[in-house]
Amino acid sequence: EDQVTQSPEALRLQEGESSSLNCSYTVSGLRGLFWYRQDPGKGPEFLFTLYSAGEEKEKERLKATLTKKESFLHITAPKPEDSATYLCAVLSGGSEKLVFGKGTKLTVNP
Amino acid sequence: DAGITQSPRHKVTETGTPVTLRCHQTENHRYMYWYRQDPGHGLRLIHYSYGVKDTDKGEVSDGYSVSRSKTEDFLLTLESATSSQTSVYFCAISDLLRAGLSYEQYFGPGTRLTVT
C-alpha cells in the first residue's frame, strides 16, 4: 500500500529563517511526486512535480528535491505570505490515484 | 487558476437527506476526482472519472455515488447524508501532460458540507 508521511506537522519560522519540510514515501514504482500549497478555506494549489531521484525544481523561495525515499521542500528566506499548509502526494505505477500526506502547516512570523 | 467551479460552496443539511454536489470544468480535461478533507486525515479520494460515464471508486466511496454525463460536469451524491459525511469536499481535474508519465491535478475551491 502506498504511503506518504510528512514532517513536521507544524513549523513556525521567523521571516528570513530558512528551513525544510520532509515528505517520506513508500510506493511501488513512483510515477510522480507532487507538492501543493493550501491556504485556509481554499483548494490546494499545485507547486511542483518531481519524476525521478536527483531531480530538483524551484519557484521563487521554494525548491523541491527528490530521493528514492523522500522529498524535501526547502524554503529560503521565507516571508509571512509563505504561511500555508504544504501537501505532498505520490502517484504510483499502474494507478490513477494520488495518495496524499497529511501536510505541514507552516507559519512565518514577521 | 484552472477553470473549476464547485456548487454549492456551503451547505447545511439534515441526516438522511440526499445531497448532490456539482463540479464544473472549462478545461476539457479527461480526469475528474472527488476528495474529502478532514482534520487528521488529509485528502482522501472518494470517486474519480476517466471519461464520460466512466467512473471508479476511491478509498472512501461507501455512501457516495457519482455521475458524469458530460466532459465538463462531475456530480457527487450522498444518497442519505450522515453526520460522518460532514467535511470539506474538493473536486480536481487532470489530463495527461506527457504520455506514460504523470500529470498534475488541479483543485476547485471546495464545498463545505455540514450534516446535522
Side-chain angles (χ1 to χ4, degrees), chain A residues 11-20 75-79 106 108:
Chain A
L11 180 63
R12 280 188 180 273
L13 299 174
Q14 289 298 121
E15 185 171 2
E17 179 186 2
S18 301
S19 187
S20 297
I75 304 175
T76 302
K79 298 182 177 181
L106 174 67
V108 182

Side-chain angles (χ1 to χ4, degrees), chain A:
Chain A
E1 182 180 333
D2 300 338
Q3 289 189 331
V4 178
T5 302
Q6 292 187 246
S7 60
E9 289 185 14
L11 180 63
R12 280 188 180 273
L13 299 174
Q14 289 298 121
E15 185 171 2
E17 179 186 2
S18 301
S19 187
S20 297
L21 313 183
N22 178 262
C23 172
S24 298
Y25 64 91
T26 55
V27 64
S28 53
L30 182 71
R31 288 172 61 192
L33 185 140
F34 306 83
W35 282 98
Y36 288 84
R37 169 194 170 123
Q38 186 174 23
D39 293 301
K42 296 191 175 181
E45 174 190 349
F46 170 73
L47 292 173
F48 304 109
T49 306
L50 300 168
Y51 294 103
S52 57
E55 188 174 1
E56 298 183 352
K57 289 197 176 170
E58 290 188 62
K59 180 179 180 179
E60 297 180 356
R61 295 176 292 282
L62 301 177
K63 182 168 110 174
T65 62
L66 181 65
T67 72
K68 289 185 178 180
K69 293 184 178 181
E70 57 192 349
S71 176
F72 292 93
L73 185 65
H74 307 277
I75 304 175
T76 302
K79 298 182 177 181
E81 52 262 44
D82 294 322
S83 297
T85 296
Y86 291 86
L87 304 173
C88 172
V90 296
L91 184 68
S92 65
S95 174
E96 305 300 332
K97 308 171 189 177
L98 286 183
V99 175
F100 281 85
K102 295 179 181 179
T104 294
K105 183 177 181 180
L106 174 67
T107 303
V108 182
N109 296 313

Side-chain angles (χ1 to χ4, degrees), chain B residues 4-24:
Chain B
I4 311 168
T5 56
Q6 293 185 232
S7 58
R9 294 294 313 280
H10 301 272
K11 186 170 182 66
V12 180
T13 191
E14 293 184 349
T15 298
T17 60
V19 177
T20 296
L21 309 183
R22 180 183 184 234
C23 177
H24 179 78

Side-chain angles (χ1 to χ4, degrees), chain B residues 86-116:
Chain B
T86 292
S87 186
V88 180
Y89 291 85
F90 288 103
C91 173
I93 65 173
S94 72
D95 214 342
L96 288 173
L97 293 181
R98 287 182 281 174
L101 287 177
S102 188
Y103 47 91
E104 293 89 24
Q105 293 185 13
Y106 297 93
F107 285 79
T111 294
R112 183 172 295 276
L113 176 68
T114 302
V115 184
T116 61

